[in-house]
Amino acid sequence: MPCHNQQLNSVNSGQEHPMKQVRFANSSSSSSVPAVLSNSEPTDASIQPVNQDNLGPQLKLLPLNDQIRELQTIIRDKTTSRGDFVFCADRLIRLVVEEGLNQLPYSECTVTTPTGYKYEGVKFERGNCGVSIMRSGEAMEQGLRDCCRSIRIGKILIQSDEETQKAKVYYAKFPPDVYRRKVLLMYPILSTGNTVIEAVKVLIEHGVQPRHIILLSLFSTPHGAKSIIQEFPDITILTTEVHPVAPTHFGQRYFGTD
């Protein structure tokens, strides 16, 4: 699945089904407020459309289609059973992981088919790893392992201080040579961006360059994405949706702790 930067009201004339603009219904009136890449979740009239142009080219969105919209809708629906929630979350995670791998460098190669034919193809370059931000980021680990069986995965535990509300690092473990690797940083929900910012700082302390970090997420708020990009202009963020209302219940629903 290719990845590109989607824009408000953009329509590709070459597509049979152009991108659809979904509206959030206002429960107090019949009017509605348009939102880019959003689903049918009630909100108030103060929520304004998201203009991705203001967030820069570092933010990449999976192309919106009905399959992704349905997965997003089921994940957001409060009546969804946990079994359906996990199933759909895993599907959406797999799509994001596959596109994340598509952002990694590759080199050309030639292989021989069983019939003796020489095929000109490509292969990914070695030196990649995953890092999950605990606990919700661990939900994305299996999706990465399903695509890369032998990939090494590190972990970071970051929690907010009860008094200061600032993110604090409690645990971090990476491959010894993480500074030489491309890092797929996994965190499904970008709300404020504070947790990810602290995680990236830890990676930088271990020698990782921000331009070698690809952040994989499922949902992001404009504030969260903007905060991360302002702090680290060279980082790449890959997500399926940018909207002011993020499904912050994701971790609790996925692990059954709600």
Side-chain angles (χ1 to χ4, degrees), residues 13 27 30 36 60-61 90 102 106 115 118 129 168 184 195 200 220 246:
S13 59
S27 57
S30 60
V36 173
K60 301 179 183 295
L61 300 179
D90 286 341
N102 197 42
Y106 63 87
T115 59
K118 298 294 184 180
C129 73
K168 182 178 179 181
L184 296 173
T195 299
V200 173
S220 175

Side-chain angles (χ1 to χ4, degrees), residues 2-257:
C3 182
H4 63 272
N5 294 329
Q6 295 174 335
Q7 299 178 354
L8 182 64
N9 295 331
S10 64
V11 177
N12 186 339
S13 59
Q15 294 180 342
E16 183 178 354
H17 302 288
M19 186 184 79
K20 301 175 182 178
Q21 178 170 297
V22 185
R23 294 179 178 269
F24 275 49
N26 187 336
S27 57
S28 62
S29 67
S30 60
S31 62
S32 57
V33 180
V36 173
L37 300 179
S38 56
N39 304 283
S40 299
E41 178 176 318
T43 184
D44 54 53
S46 64
I47 293 181
Q48 298 299 320
V50 177
N51 186 351
Q52 188 195 340
D53 292 340
N54 296 332
L55 300 177
Q58 298 90 339
L59 178 65
K60 301 179 183 295
L61 300 179
L62 267 68
L64 183 64
N65 54 45
D66 288 340
Q67 176 185 202
I68 290 178
R69 288 180 60 206
E70 181 187 35
L71 296 175
Q72 293 171 339
T73 302
I74 294 174
I75 290 172
R76 285 183 175 274
D77 188 351
K78 66 179 182 180
T79 65
T80 299
S81 67
R82 180 172 178 266
D84 289 343
F85 184 95
V86 172
F87 178 79
C88 292
D90 286 341
R91 286 185 59 197
L92 194 58
I93 288 169
R94 180 65 178 262
L95 293 173
V96 172
V97 168
E98 292 280 11
E99 184 53 44
L101 296 174
N102 197 42
Q103 305 298 312
L104 297 174
Y106 63 87
S107 58
E108 295 181 353
C109 68
T110 302
V111 298
T112 303
T113 69
T115 59
Y117 177 77
K118 298 294 184 180
Y119 180 80
E120 302 293 333
V122 299
K123 62 179 179 180
F124 284 106
E125 297 180 358
R126 294 180 178 272
N128 307 310
C129 73
V131 172
S132 65
I133 302 177
M134 302 165 65
R135 180 183 186 193
S136 60
E138 292 177 305
M140 306 180 73
E141 289 184 7
Q142 189 58 49
L144 180 57
R145 287 195 175 98
D146 288 342
C147 299
C148 304
R149 291 179 295 177
S150 60
I151 194 168
R152 304 188 67 176
I153 297 179
K155 295 178 182 289
I156 304 178
L157 174 60
I158 299 176
Q159 295 180 344
S160 297
D161 187 275
E162 295 182 358
E163 296 181 357
T164 64
Q165 297 301 315
K166 292 184 178 180
K168 182 178 179 181
V169 179
Y170 286 88
Y171 174 83
K173 185 176 182 180
F174 310 121
D177 59 346
V178 66
Y179 61 91
R180 298 192 305 180
R181 296 175 180 263
K182 305 283 187 180
V183 176
L184 296 173
L185 184 60
M186 297 173 286
Y187 197 60
I189 309 298
L190 305 182
S191 183
T192 64
N194 293 338
T195 299
V196 170
I197 289 174
E198 291 301 318
V200 173
K201 288 180 179 178
V202 175
L203 288 169
I204 292 175
E205 291 174 358
H206 285 74
V208 180
Q209 299 296 319
R211 60 189 175 88
H212 291 162
I213 299 174
I214 301 173
L215 175 60
L216 306 182
S217 72
L218 304 184
F219 302 90
S220 175
T221 65
H223 174 73
K226 185 176 181 179
S227 298
I228 296 169
I229 292 173
Q230 286 182 338
E231 187 78 17
F232 308 106
D234 294 331
I235 197 173
T236 297
I237 300 176
L238 179 62
T239 188
T240 73
E241 177 185 67
V242 177
H243 190 273
V245 181
T248 54
H249 64 288
F250 181 91
Q252 290 83 357
R253 290 297 306 276
Y254 191 93
F255 292 107
T257 58

